[in-house]
Amino acid sequence: MTFRRFLIKRIVIAFLLTLVSVSIIFVTLRALPGTPFSSLVASGGLSGEQVAELEAQYGLNEPIYVQYVKYIQSLLTLNFGYSIAESRPVSAIIYPRLLNTLVLLVPALITTAIVSSIAGLYAGWNRGSAFEQGSIVVTTFFRSTPVFVTGIFLLVIFAYQLGIFPAFGMRSPLDNPQGAIETYFAVDFAKHYFLPFVATVLYYSGDFLLLARNSVIERKGSAFLTLHRAKGLTEREQLARAGRNSMLPLVTYFALRMGMLFQGVITLEVVFAWPGIGRTLVQAINQQDYPTVQAAVFIMALAVIVMNLLADVMYAKIDPTVEEGDL
Amino acid sequence: MSLLEVEDLKITYSTSEVDVHAVNGVSFEIDDGSNYGLVGESGCGKSTVAHSVLGLLDDNGNVEAGSIKFDGRELLDCSEQEWQEIRWEEIAYIPQSAMDSLDPVMSVGAQIRQAMHKHRDVTKAEANERVEEVFDIVGLDPSRTEEYPHQFSGGMRQRVTIAMALVLDPDLIIADEPTTGLDVIVQDKIVHKLLEIQEEIDSSMLLITHDMGVIAETCDDVSVLYGGKVMEQGSTDDVLKNPTNPYTMGLKNSFPDIEEFDSQAVSIPGSLPDLTREPTSCVFSNRCPFATEECEREHPALREVENQQSACYHVDRVEELREEAVDPETWGLDPVDQGGREAGDVILETEGLTKWFEQGQSIVDQLMGREKDYVKAVNGVDLTVRENEIVGVAGESGCGKSTLGEVIAALQTHTDGEIRFRGTPVEELLSGDSKEFRSKVQFIFQDPFDSLNPRQKVRAAVSEPLKIQGVEGDEITERVRQTLADVGLSPVDKYIDSFPHQLSGGERQRVAIARALVLDPELLICDEPASMLDVSLKASILNILREMATERDMGIVYISHDLASLSQITDRLAVMYLGQVIEVGKTREIVTGPRHPYTASLLAASPNVDPAVDRTRVLLPGEPPNPVNLPEGCNFAPRCPKATEECRESEPERAAWVDEGHEAACYFPVDDVQAELLDRYEGATDAAGTTGEELPQEQGSSAP
Amino acid sequence: MSTLNMDTDTAKDRLGDLWKRSRRTALFVLEDNAAKLGVAILAAFTFLGIFGPELAPYEPIEHTMRTEDGGIMRMSEPNDAAPLGTTTYGKDVLSQFLEGARPTFIVGFFGGIGTGIIGFLVGLVSGYFGGRVDEALMRLTDLTFSLPFLPMALLVLTFVTPSIALITAVIVAFFWKMPARVIRSEVLTVKERTFVKSARASGAGHFRTMFLHVAPNVLGIGFLYTAYAVAWAIAGQASLAFLGFGDPTTTSWGRMLRQVFASGGMREAWWWVFPPAIGIAAVTTAVFLVGRAFEEVVNPELRGDE
């Protein structure tokens, strides 16, 4: 199978997965009792007629299959409809939040991937050393503790008790920056940024550290490193080769983690009141704002599928031993 | 002064519980420009010695005593940095398993260049030039230097490591089992290359191997190691021709010669000495048929006997021992009457048996109805097995012989053709209850270390087939005990409650045999049952099989790449090449008069234990083509010096040449192997220089 | 079915072997200091999970702590009456902590075991049979991977009143894929080993081969991932509770954190934050510390050079 055909196959699978995922989201939302507006009637906010009108506006009175087709159509064209709670296009709500999430998470993930992987390589090479033991225990703590608990610890200690960092949000309440540069390149932003950033870095450090450590240990006794050593390579050069050979699982893992980022830190965004997509989702669920919920869940699912696809493709491209025939 | 002087070297490995004394006082010297062999079975310490010379011992290995002097310089005093300078510049290394010794994510050229940049101040262009040069020397295509290891076949990867060892013109090359795991023809070509190169660059070589034949053909001097001790030392001619140590005698006699049908190979009973303590008696005394009380005192020092040195108390009776050591009974093997078997009724018959494996079957491809590629592992095989007959299937790795075995045993389905068991098609026997068929056809696998479930005791393993057949309680116990005794695991009580990991390789293979025999099968298929065992154990496994064939009227299919064991045990032989049987007939007739050029080449490539025999190497060009795209006409034609247009256009029938049951699929059967094949191979290689472009080269790893 | 007649001999062998192996493994794991600490924490947690509510000095929700002058003891620092202080509503933190151990324990225990068993079976069947069965099951895991746990769980729990059983079920439904994948790839290796072929050659049926020959050799990894699943279940439950989707009728550690966060008590009441936070962190970390030491035993690649 050539690379092209492999790519096509993967893309088809990813597309089908997306379709099935959004269908499940649709079914979950519709199969549950009541429509989004029935609760509004119950709470006395709207009259029955108003609800019927609204339902017509949102197409909820049409046959279910028509709704389904429309729903799929609009999702695939990234048209998320109108938010019920905020009466403005969902995309206008979601996209800025998505950007905020990415600004927080992508640098954090890259930082932890690089730093922890290098530490892991070193730990694996020096198996049994105090550094290895210590780094494993410390990162195991941060990796296994739910990220919002770590966030709460940081918050209580550094924001409330010591008062070094602000506790909430992305900027001070009085600030009103204009444009991306003012928003993201400001001292105030950096201060708000620090704690959630650290929490994310710590949370993901353990996975990369252990993965790097384990793959170096697997390779340490290998015949090809013995040959490198026999050629007269220094310890550090040997470690570099072991590291190069461990790149593949690390890069793949990085891509997978990237895809699952959004779901991993919903609670963290809530703790730090970070105006990202995760916090928006939780708010939308609480307000029963279904178009927004749909859009947020869809984006999260799509991220996983796309990054999985990317991981597969990268795997095939990076590893010279994956032959075209094996794909 | 010698180039390398190893003196009274002692090395231990510390594990969490005990120390293992791997090397217990080994001394030897290698002269400039000479080849030195260290020979011995697994666990004798030969690789440990090799690694210590390069300072490559594992972290838990410690040199307790002794000295290693290279060019007069004490290596054991070197700092890590000094080691790094010596390595490769002066001592290069050819690793044991070329399959995984090359860095998988670095092109082979870059790996060789790395060695140069490390030690010499060269530009990239200069380095490249040199890499191409050494590629050319070892017979690799110089345009392939930027390819990755997985793009080369096993034999070619070994050539890459040899090229790497040559690149800095070292004074000493340490070759650690350089040909183990390679097919015999490839091995012959590699050995040829090694010797040729070494002559050219005038370096010394330390060759480590378990194969007496390779030593006999390559080394000037040799040390025979056992239990971390040198048992015998001297010039190869003397040691192998007139061994003076009982261990050397046993080892030598366990390598049968292909054409010696009448002498039976020996096997050394017992198992390796306990090396968790320093040896207090002769290390070989517990397995030596000549051991006396004297031998229990301490390990004997090397003493002069004839032209060599031997560590034995009985050097005064060498001639007598030598005579007795040839007789298998000395080593506790019952003599087996070889020729007296009469084959009975036909048990198994295959007709046009075919097994193709699909390649890359994806949903998308299926939807699009694309044509599939097939690996033609077994491609139209006719084979007959009778009662009381051992049929051998010979061939190199990837020729489809193992697949054939599994297909016959219905462990895999077949694509086309027919298998008849006692006249009934196998499909019929398998439809509905397959139990009966399973009780009649049994299989013995290659790897004794993996063929028993690690969580099952011997009792459970051997009784499982009976339970599946629904045999009841007491009868199970009785039959299990009887079968264990039959395969030589006695006293039975010692073994029956053991777990596999408590047994040695030979014992495990016996358990596997017992598991197969406990149901009294009519047909037994053995896939390389002895190939992973040390040579000194092989003969006893072959003996059991032979005995069982005679006693139980079974038919046995014996699959192997090892022509020597095949010629020892089988009555008839089928030689396979690329999924087809290209020659079949009585073993004796094929071995003494092969007709197919491939069979003839295969037989001629087996190394000879006798150093005096001067054999022409089989420089058969190329490698077997990819079994996906087979050539038109005869599969062997692209490599055959006798091939004509006819061979390339139409495929010869298997019975293209017939002489009373001896058949060969060849239009131009061989008469004079030397003149028609070997001389021509040599000529072809000289002319082409490298493996010719038009020859089929295996591109990747071999077929599944 | 004749393939099922596991006779007593085999059973005894198996159990004896299993017992010996577990002992050996346990001893090896306990050589690791971090694992020792982990075991101690888990033992304490199990104890709290079973007896915690009985030890609570006050009813954690009904009982309101009062000061000597009869007022509600709101947001009080640790004192003699309430050793861990009180909440905004004047409830005893210690009692809530002890009471909250049980739901955490139940969800962790059953969620972990359910995840482990389902994942093990799916992985075993998928890896052993291969082909279409494998393709179907693996696409199913792909699908559950792309349906993110928290958002989907939140959606489901919006409409259905959360209860401990439901939360456990949701957790199992989303987490079985992890062990399933690992077990499957392990089964793929074991399946290729000769003794499995040998079992087939001696006439063993699929059922026998799968459960007697393949399963015992991947059991170690199965246990390991069951242990990890316990930690995931605890973390998952705590996250749900923290977001306000916990069982409203019970006190759990996650719910305590929810209350302290929602009430704004975090600002000063560190005594209210730390017990549940440390509880969750300690238990999940302990599981991973023990699991990691165990992994050094079961992962052949790490064991290699020891």
Side-chain angles (χ1 to χ4, degrees), chain A residues 21 32 127 136 140-141 143-145 148 152-153 155 160 213 218 263 270-271 281 285 290 293 300-301 305, chain C residues 146 148 151 154-155 158-159 239 242 261 266-267 270 273-274 277 281 284-285 288 292 296 301-302 305:
Chain A
S21 306
L32 296 166
R127 199 177 182 193
I136 285 178
T140 299
F141 174 78
R143 153 185 193 237
S144 40
T145 302
F148 75 93
I152 288 176
F153 279 130
L155 206 58
Y160 295 139
R213 164 190 173 267
E218 275 167 38
Q263 17 169 330
V270 172
V271 168
L281 173 67
I285 286 179
Y290 294 103
V293 172
M300 290 179 181
I305 294 170
Chain C
S146 55
L154 294 184
L155 268 189
T158 321
F159 298 96
S239 302
F242 176 72
F261 180 76
M266 260 201 324
R267 217 166 274 282
W270 52 267
V273 178
F274 280 158
T284 49
T285 306
F288 274 88
R292 206 196 49 74
E296 305 279 326
E301 253 127 24
L302 296 181
D305 57 353

Side-chain angles (χ1 to χ4, degrees), chain A residues 1 5 8-9 12-13 220 222-235 237-238 241-242 244-245 318-323 325 327, chain B residues 54-57 59 80 84 87-88 91 93 95 97 100-106 111-112 114-115 118-119 148 150 161 164 362 364-365 370 700:
Chain A
M1 192 159 35
R5 275 163 67 189
I8 293 172
K9 180 186 164 184
V12 169
I13 290 178
K220 209 186 163 191
S222 68
F224 75 82
L225 274 181
T226 308
L227 187 59
H228 278 316
R229 194 168 159 215
K231 282 193 293 193
L233 263 56
T234 61
E235 186 99 6
E237 287 165 324
Q238 292 169 46
R241 291 315 305 164
R244 171 64 188 86
N245 273 278
I318 298 177
D319 186 357
T321 64
V322 174
E323 287 240 30
L327 293 174
Chain B
L54 273 164
L56 290 181
L57 286 178
D59 293 341
E80 184 61 26
Q84 281 162 12
R87 286 178 194 146
W88 225 260
I91 309 178
Y93 172 67
S97 48
D100 35 50
S101 285
L102 293 168
D103 194 329
V105 295
M106 198 175 184
Q111 297 187 43
I112 300 178
Q114 191 187 33
K118 192 69 214 162
H119 297 280
Y148 287 91
H150 71 275
T161 59
M164 196 184 295
S362 75
V364 183
D365 285 353
R370 285 205 184 88

Side-chain angles (χ1 to χ4, degrees), chain C residues 76-94:
Chain C
S76 157
E77 289 206 25
N79 55 40
D80 290 346
L84 291 180
T86 59
T87 73
T88 339
Y89 316 105
K91 314 291 178 191
D92 178 32
V93 173
L94 176 64

Side-chain angles (χ1 to χ4, degrees), chain A residues 97-119:
Chain A
R97 308 284 170 87
L98 185 60
L99 182 65
N100 288 340
T101 297
L102 291 176
V103 164
L104 171 64
L105 296 180
V106 174
L109 194 66
I110 292 175
T111 309
T112 193
I114 293 171
V115 174
S116 319
S117 298
I118 291 174

Side-chain angles (χ1 to χ4, degrees), chain B residues 88-262:
Chain B
W88 225 260
E89 179 71 52
E90 286 165 70
I91 309 178
Y93 172 67
I94 299 173
Q96 182 160 17
S97 48
M99 285 315 261
D100 35 50
S101 285
L102 293 168
D103 194 329
V105 295
M106 198 175 184
S107 74
V108 293
Q111 297 187 43
I112 300 178
R113 282 197 300 274
Q114 191 187 33
M116 297 180 67
H117 287 302
K118 192 69 214 162
H119 297 280
R120 305 269 165 87
D121 190 16
V122 287
T123 64
K124 188 167 182 208
E126 286 164 353
N128 262 338
E129 204 174 306
R130 177 67 180 151
V131 170
E132 280 171 25
E133 218 173 281
V134 289
F135 254 56
D136 195 51
I137 296 177
V138 298
L140 287 169
D141 182 352
S143 65
R144 295 187 64 186
T145 56
E146 293 315 303
E147 290 181 22
Y148 287 91
H150 71 275
Q151 290 164 297
F152 294 88
S153 69
M156 290 161 90
R157 273 186 239 188
Q158 195 66 69
R159 283 167 194 258
V160 171
T161 59
I162 294 172
M164 196 184 295
L166 294 181
V167 76
L168 295 179
D169 282 332
D171 296 329
L172 175 66
I173 298 176
I174 298 178
D176 189 358
E177 302 262 14
T179 60
T180 305
L182 299 179
D183 281 315
V184 48
I185 293 180
V186 184
Q187 161 171 312
D188 215 27
K189 284 153 75 178
I190 296 282
V191 166
H192 174 78
K193 210 80 228 178
L194 272 177
L195 291 179
E196 194 183 85
I197 290 162
Q198 206 216 343
E199 216 146 278
E200 251 167 63
I201 69 167
D202 196 32
S203 64
S204 301
M205 181 161 73
L206 174 61
L207 182 82
I208 285 114
T209 180
H210 68 280
D211 192 335
M212 287 279 215
V214 172
I215 292 277
E217 298 194 340
T218 53
C219 292
D220 308 314
D221 301 291
V222 65
S223 285
V224 181
L225 294 190
Y226 182 80
K229 292 273 190 191
V230 177
M231 300 304 286
E232 188 163 0
Q233 198 165 62
S235 82
T236 310
D237 286 354
D238 294 326
V239 172
L240 294 197
K241 211 155 169 80
N242 300 308
T244 57
N245 189 289
Y247 176 66
T248 321
M249 296 174 195
L251 195 60
K252 184 196 167 192
N253 293 337
S254 54
F255 281 92
D257 199 74
I258 296 186
E259 293 190 29
E260 277 177 35
F261 300 99
D262 299 322

